Each structure stands twice: as structure tokens, then as C-alpha cells.
Amino acid sequence: KMKKHNVQTQIYVFEMPDIKESVLSAISSMGTHSLVEEDQQISNTDWHLNANTIRPYFDIVDTHINKCIDEITADTLYKKATINNFWFQQYNKGDYHGWHNHVGSTYSSVYYVELPDNTATTFESNGKEFNIDVKEGDFIVFPSVFRHCSKANKTDETKTVVAMNID
């Protein structure tokens, strides 16, 4: 017989410096690569590109992200943390990413490069949906087992994120 215990966990939110325009320019230099599958429609992403693809936006965010990861490492008493993969996604009107999690990683994260109103990540825990108060320019880190989604973008503005998994 299974017993279930609901426990609290940490979700970290960091305010990143204003690097939006340089990140968007770097993403733009990569061209457009849409992804449409049963549970997602994304206007532009490098998720499905070859692992050897040059991702110039990562060089822009890397130093800032690593400072955040260092703070989390100190808070959790882990000895070190490693980014094991990263990608960007751009959601135009009607784009979405269905419910999923990132089993196999310790943490997942999202840097909100562009964030139109009401388009932040939605989470689910213990059968209840919730959102974290974030704004454009924030970097959020959460346990990778949390189910989350990007509901359909109902705005005429683009939502752009850089996501990564951390162990």
C-alpha cells in the first residue's frame, strides 16, 4: 500500500541583467527551426538540432546563469552543479508546449528573455496547477520532476525562453 507525503520544495527565481537584445540577436542568427509534434507547437527552437550546433546565445547567458547555479549549490549543500543541456524556444501566437517533466535531471530552468503577459510556465503538483510570480528577465530553477507546460500564447507578442537541465 502506497502512502503519499506532501512536502515543500524550493523554486528559485533570479533577476538577470539586461541581456535581452544580445540574446535575441544571437538566436536570430541561427535561423528559424520550428517544431510541431502531438504535444507541442513551437515557432522556433534548437531543441531538435544536432548537439554540435553552435548556440551563440549560450555564451551570453552562461556567466550569469552560473552565478545563479553557484547560489543554489551553496543553498542545497551540493558540491557542484553541471548544466547538461540547453535550448531556446520562441512561441508565437497559438504556440504551446504540453505537460511534461525532465526526469533524469535534478533541476530544470527557464530564463524568460521575452515574456508577454500571462504566458509564464504553469506547474502542477499534487493535482493542482500553480504559477510562480516571474517577469521578463527572470531565471527560474525548479525540481525537474515537476510537471509543467507552456499554455497557448494568446498574445500577438513572441515569448522567448532559454531552458536548461542541471545536475
Side-chain angles (χ1 to χ4, degrees):
K1 189 173 190 179
M2 180 176 80
K3 288 184 179 183
K4 187 173 177 180
H5 297 272
N6 295 326
V7 297
Q8 287 186 315
T9 188
Q10 288 78 33
I11 295 179
Y12 300 91
V13 180
F14 298 90
E15 189 173 319
M16 295 281 280
D18 185 9
I19 54 175
K20 173 181 174 177
E21 294 308 320
S22 55
V23 172
L24 290 175
S25 178
I27 288 171
S28 179
S29 75
M30 296 181 65
T32 302
H33 310 279
S34 63
L35 179 62
V36 178
E37 295 178 344
E38 182 180 326
D39 62 345
Q40 60 188 326
Q41 173 181 309
I42 303 168
S43 289
N44 192 18
T45 182
D46 62 347
W47 168 252
H48 58 304
L49 300 183
N50 184 298
N52 295 327
T53 300
I54 295 172
R55 291 168 164 84
Y57 62 89
F58 191 75
D59 291 337
I60 299 166
V61 302
D62 185 44
T63 301
H64 308 292
I65 296 293
N66 277 310
K67 288 178 185 175
C68 301
I69 292 171
D70 287 346
E71 285 188 52
I72 294 169
T73 302
D75 184 59
T76 58
L77 304 178
Y78 286 122
K79 291 184 178 166
K80 76 175 211 170
T82 305
I83 297 170
N84 63 26
N85 58 357
F86 56 89
W87 61 97
F88 77 85
Q89 294 177 316
Q90 291 187 303
Y91 299 85
N92 292 331
K93 189 170 189 171
D95 288 349
Y96 64 94
H97 193 162
W99 288 104
H100 64 285
N101 61 16
H102 297 245
V103 175
S105 295
T106 307
Y107 290 102
S108 294
S109 61
V110 178
Y111 164 43
Y112 296 102
V113 182
E114 294 180 293
L115 187 63
D117 287 342
N118 300 313
T119 62
T121 305
T122 300
F123 295 92
E124 185 269 331
S125 180
N126 299 313
K128 295 181 182 176
E129 291 184 18
F130 66 96
N131 292 86
I132 300 296
D133 186 23
V134 293
K135 64 186 181 316
E136 186 172 286
D138 282 350
F139 175 60
I140 184 172
V141 181
F142 54 93
S144 64
V145 296
F146 270 15
R147 284 175 32 95
H148 57 283
C149 72
S150 182
K151 293 188 176 180
N153 181 357
K154 295 181 181 177
T155 75
D156 291 325
E157 301 173 60
T158 299
K159 172 184 174 182
T160 301
V161 301
V162 173
M164 60 197 74
N165 289 326
I166 304 165
D167 287 322

